[in-house]
Amino acid sequence: MKLTLEVWRQKNGGDKGGFSTYELEDVDTHMSFLEMLDVLNQDLIVGGAEPIAFEHDCREGICGACGFVVNGVAHGHQKGSTICQLHMRHFSDGDKITIEPWRAKAFPIIKDLVVDRSSFDRILQAGGFVTIRTGSAPDANALPVATDTLEHAMDFAECIGCGACVASCPNGAAMLFVGAKISHLALLPQGMPEKAKRALKMVEAMESEAFGACTNYTSCEAVCPKEISISGIARMNKDFRRASVAGAEPAHGKKR
Amino acid sequence: MAVTGIILFGFVVGHMLGNLQIYLGQEQLDHYAELLQANKPFLWAFRSVLLFCVSVHIWAAVVIWLRNRSARPVKYKMFQPPGLDYAARTMVWSGPIVALFIVYHILDFTVGTANPDFIKGEVYHNVVASFSNPVIALVYMAACLLLAFHLYHGLWSLFQTFGWDHPRFGWIRRALAIFFSVLIGAGTISIPLAVLTGFVR
């Protein structure tokens, strides 16, 4: 299979950057998208050129390291998968593929397709701790959680923080990510005590980063490799609204 | 945005239901208009609330629009995010166009300066005078169609904003939005169409 790749190249954050075009012969249909880039990079290295920088780690679609925009769609056109799980059999001979990094003010480009997603880390840090007992493992049934509830929480916990939601949002909003993080803890008894405080802190942290605001385009859930639902955004809004009205401090029964 | 949106949506429904009295004849509509004009302080209080809501709604939209524009300083060369529907994509256009239409609509039927043959208090006559002109009628129908799209996206969006969602009942949000936007679209478009086709004259 023969492919023409149009890839965004940028030396560093200060560089203006631009597209470079590469012709690639004999692409195996069994290759994953990243393996195809590995082959291209090998050619570049042999030819004395700088290889294309892209992030990757597990290549199993569960770590959240990889991700860029392929032909206008974050993680490529295959639903519910990261770019490392997209295989070249989904492309045809002679295709022209445009590859761009996540584009958002909150995700500054480090090099080529690698962006700095530490804005996500700062939001997570703002969420604070969860009061669980550390030390020896607790008794299996000490804290009963209904199967439906834990499945619901797990659906949100699946978020790998790849940033595709921000990349795909016409507004560059991070609400699916923050909604998933808030929801997965708020649904479980372990995360319940800090629910209000967490919603306030994480939404505040999100607002202080350079993300846009949600206008319900829903393209985030359409590209999410974990297919996380925008119901997480609704839950975040609800928790934030309640916490804003009632305050983040726990209620108390004595005059203080 | 959502709070003022609900209030404005409520007004649009009431306004449409009031105007549909045109099908009950001239006397009924003019009598209804007279009734609305009867209590001046109430009328102006009502108008102030609406003006306030429209202002806050527009202000919120501008703030969000500016924030969202600055969130992606370098644009994609190729950007085809899936999942976008027509109403969502056109909110940024339908909003300002509907706002301009409201100004024209007030000049047409309340102030009367844009009406081809304005007689104060004779609402039925003014409506027929305006909509007998095919250009004006088409402008109204186009604007009402845009309003319906705008309301569709706004209505289901406000459920998200308030966090009203449920795994089992979530589908009702889209269904309600479709129901009301079709209702409002059909109701408002029917009036210029009825005049244009000679059903109301």
Side-chain angles (χ1 to χ4, degrees), chain B residues 94-105:
Chain B
S94 58
I97 293 172
V98 168
L100 285 176
F101 166 72
I102 292 171
V103 173
Y104 168 70
H105 183 48

Side-chain angles (χ1 to χ4, degrees), chain A residues 6 69 71-73 100-101 103-105 166-169 171 207 209-213 215-219 223 230-231 234 237 241, chain B residues 64 67-68 70-84 88-89 153 156-157 160-165 167 173-174:
Chain A
E6 197 182 23
V69 174
N71 287 341
V73 184
E100 287 180 81
R103 293 204 187 278
K105 196 177 175 187
V166 177
S168 186
C169 177
N171 303 332
E207 298 271 306
E209 300 289 343
F211 294 112
T215 56
N216 304 302
Y217 280 116
T218 73
S219 57
V223 297
I230 55 162
S231 65
N237 285 337
R241 169 169 53 81
Chain B
I64 291 172
R67 187 187 170 113
N68 292 346
S70 71
R72 181 163 294 137
V74 182
K75 301 271 171 273
Y76 286 105
K77 184 185 181 194
M78 203 174 175
F79 189 43
Q80 283 157 349
L84 300 193
R89 277 190 290 123
H153 186 71
W156 88 261
S157 288
Q160 276 290 105
T161 304
F162 287 118
W164 294 331
D165 186 26
R173 311 185 307 168
R174 293 266 189 184

Side-chain angles (χ1 to χ4, degrees), chain A residues 9 22 37 39-52:
Chain A
R9 301 304 306 266
Y22 305 96
L37 286 182
V39 170
L40 172 62
N41 275 345
Q42 196 60 41
D43 290 351
L44 289 175
I45 293 166
V46 169
E50 184 80 8
I52 299 162

Side-chain angles (χ1 to χ4, degrees), chain A residues 183-200:
Chain A
S183 299
H184 111 246
L185 292 174
L187 282 163
L188 293 172
Q190 291 93 333
M192 214 64 98
E194 300 86 8
K195 185 175 149 182
K197 196 158 74 181
R198 187 167 46 241
L200 282 179

